[in-house]
Amino acid sequence: MIEDIYSRNCVTVNLSVLTANYRRMKSRVPEATRLLGMVKADAYGHGMIEAAKAFQIAGCDIFGVAELGEAIRLRKHGIEGEILVFLGCRRSELSLLAKYDLQPVVFDRQDIQELERIGKNSRKKIKIHLKVDTGMGRLGITPEEAGEYLDLIKSMHHVELAGVASHFPKGDEKDSKETLQAIKKFEELKRKYTWISDKLHIANSGGILNFPQAHNSLSRAGIALYGYAPDGKVTAETEDLQPAMEVATELIQVKKVKKGQGISYGHTYVAENDMRIGVIPMGYEDGLSRTMSNKGEVLVLGKRAKICGRICMNICMIDLSEIEDAVVGDKVVVLGCQGDQCITGDEIAARCHTISYEILCMFGNNNERKYIE
Ligand SMILES: *Cc1c(COP(=O)(O)O)cnc(C)c1O
């Protein structure tokens, strides 16, 4: 018999928190606006299938992923409702969109023509979303090209325009002129092509929180559903959102080291006094970024302990000098709360010069996940 061995590093995701966050974000958009649950990147590290189901409980019936494979996995796990594939797919794979009833985001004329052919052959109407770049400088056609694309789509019988999508470069910044500019360009499209006026969608979490005028028939929430503010700052608008992920490990050794002892590769940390060091079985391959070497903190028995020396691939050391009761087996919280202390994704992100999004993906997608409600 093969025994089930669980890693000592564990990501715990609270599904009721995900459900509650969806409800809270839904209450921020107008009644008539649908709220898409972005579940790309394995739901920002929370587990795509489980997160989609948690959002479904709160009424979510439209989901977003980046790639085709993710969308098919959602269908194979019984997720119903609409699924948007934000990066489209290879031309040779377009027929799978019809097979699994998926809606691609399109930005290429030939893809649209191929979809018309596939729709005709399979006697289906394939729903598509046209991607327009209103200033993000990423994927999409220009607003000037929109007219000819819309004409093309209108002339088709087996392809149906379900949406016109765009994306904000600075939705997380209140009053940012780039965002106002994008909204203006979108409004111009709406005025020019009145038949698409009920199909536009542009707002991400930042847009939903900071630009209420950006709501259309659909808004798309990602990071806020996972409990974080897009700009990393908790404000009155975001304080009711709760992080759903906790990352914890346990002490595998506690030992005394003498003053002058170097710790870990390169001896970048040298004990200034005799001290107590704890060893934890977590390193950069588990999502604990090496840039946290000599910088990060973790929680043991409700107190903060500093990371000492370089973070290795699977292991790192922490200073337990002030946490005298800590013993092997004690829980070590890397992301989350213990006692009255909390380490948030935003705190870690600030230390690593990145954003909470990346921290959640790194921990969530590199460790075993456990679900609680
Ligand atoms: C990721 C993504 C979102 C969600 O963004 P958040 O900042 O996480 O809310 C919305 N729309 C598109 C096109 C995206 O790629």
Side-chain angles (χ1 to χ4, degrees):
M1 191 186 107
I2 299 169
E3 291 178 52
D4 283 332
I5 304 290
Y6 294 99
S7 169
R8 287 177 285 195
N9 300 329
C10 187
V11 167
T12 306
V13 175
N14 188 323
L15 296 170
S16 354
V17 168
L18 292 180
T19 305
N21 286 341
Y22 184 89
R23 288 205 176 101
R24 292 180 185 118
M25 288 306 285
K26 183 74 179 72
S27 75
R28 285 174 169 80
V29 302
E31 191 69 36
T33 299
R34 297 172 75 198
L35 185 65
L36 176 144
M38 198 44 97
V39 292
K40 66 191 178 194
D42 226 349
Y44 297 44
H46 295 67
M48 179 177 68
I49 306 299
E50 293 82 359
K53 287 183 177 164
F55 299 147
Q56 263 180 339
I57 292 172
C60 181
D61 59 0
I62 179 162
F63 301 94
V65 292
E67 295 202 74
L68 177 63
E70 301 174 273
I72 294 175
R73 195 154 77 80
L74 280 173
R75 281 284 184 252
K76 288 199 165 157
H77 282 83
I79 301 299
E80 292 171 6
E82 296 178 58
I83 301 177
L84 275 66
V85 185
F86 275 87
L87 303 184
C89 62
R90 293 188 187 96
R91 194 157 302 145
S92 58
E93 295 165 342
L94 286 170
S95 62
L96 292 170
L97 296 165
K99 178 172 174 189
Y100 289 100
D101 189 19
L102 307 169
Q103 303 177 14
V105 168
V106 298
F107 37 85
D108 181 286
R109 202 171 288 113
Q110 272 173 284
D111 281 349
I112 298 170
Q113 280 155 344
E114 177 65 9
L115 282 166
E116 169 73 3
R117 203 184 58 76
I118 291 165
K120 190 171 180 189
N121 289 345
S122 57
R123 293 200 191 84
K124 281 183 180 158
K125 220 166 179 146
I126 301 172
K127 289 189 174 164
I128 64 170
H129 297 254
L130 181 64
K131 184 69 176 266
V132 181
D133 188 342
T134 52
M136 172 71 177
R138 199 168 78 173
L139 195 61
I141 63 166
T142 64
E144 292 72 37
E145 290 171 301
E148 74 181 86
Y149 272 84
L150 291 172
D151 285 345
L152 175 69
I153 296 166
K154 222 175 175 178
S155 74
M156 307 215 141
H157 302 288
H158 302 277
V159 166
E160 182 188 332
L161 187 75
V164 176
S166 197
H167 195 52
F168 291 139
K170 290 197 189 177
D172 57 336
E173 273 180 41
K174 259 198 165 60
D175 304 323
S176 50
K177 67 175 192 314
E178 293 84 351
T179 310
L180 297 170
Q181 183 68 25
I183 293 172
K184 195 168 144 233
K185 285 193 179 165
F186 227 38
E187 290 298 319
E188 278 164 19
L189 286 178
K190 218 192 261 189
R191 268 199 305 278
K192 215 159 160 187
Y193 312 103
T194 47
W195 66 284
I196 64 166
S197 64
D198 62 340
K199 299 184 199 303
L200 297 136
H201 49 101
I202 190 164
N204 51 1
S205 297
I208 295 168
L209 296 165
N210 299 325
F211 296 88
Q213 73 272 40
H215 294 304
N216 289 289
S217 54
L218 179 68
S219 288
R220 312 183 302 254
I223 195 70
L225 299 180
Y226 305 100
Y228 284 90
D231 63 355
K233 298 187 191 94
V234 178
T235 60
E237 278 105 64
T238 57
E239 66 182 359
D240 62 339
L241 301 170
Q242 261 187 59
M245 182 188 290
E246 182 207 74
V247 181
T249 182
E250 56 193 57
L251 285 169
I252 61 170
Q253 193 186 12
V254 177
K255 62 182 177 185
K256 290 185 177 139
V257 301
K258 289 250 180 291
K259 179 180 174 178
Q261 172 69 54
I263 302 291
S264 194
Y265 288 124
H267 280 185
T268 58
Y269 183 94
V270 177
E272 283 177 10
N273 297 295
D274 289 355
M275 63 188 294
R276 284 175 85 236
I277 285 284
V279 184
I280 57 175
M282 185 177 276
Y284 53 83
E285 80 102 23
D286 309 297
L288 184 60
S289 169
R290 191 165 171 279
T291 61
M292 296 257 279
S293 299
N294 288 314
K295 279 199 280 188
E297 293 181 350
V298 298
L299 304 177
V300 182
L301 301 177
K303 291 189 187 142
R304 284 179 175 258
K306 284 201 159 54
I307 293 175
C308 305
R310 292 242 171 94
I311 292 170
C312 309
M313 191 178 282
N314 306 88
I315 187 168
C316 75
M317 273 56 74
I318 58 176
D319 181 359
L320 292 178
S321 301
E322 306 288 316
I323 310 174
E324 282 141 24
D325 298 337
V327 294
V328 167
D330 278 350
K331 181 173 176 176
V332 178
V333 174
V334 179
L335 172 72
C337 298
Q338 197 178 46
D340 57 8
Q341 289 290 321
C342 286
I343 294 176
T344 65
D346 291 322
E347 176 185 327
I348 298 174
R351 287 189 205 280
C352 300
H353 304 289
T354 182
I355 51 177
S356 62
Y357 300 63
E358 184 178 359
I359 302 302
L360 298 176
C361 289
M362 295 294 284
F363 281 129
N365 292 334
N366 286 297
N367 290 288
E368 276 175 18
R369 283 186 295 245
K370 196 173 85 189
Y371 291 93
I372 57 171
E373 299 204 16

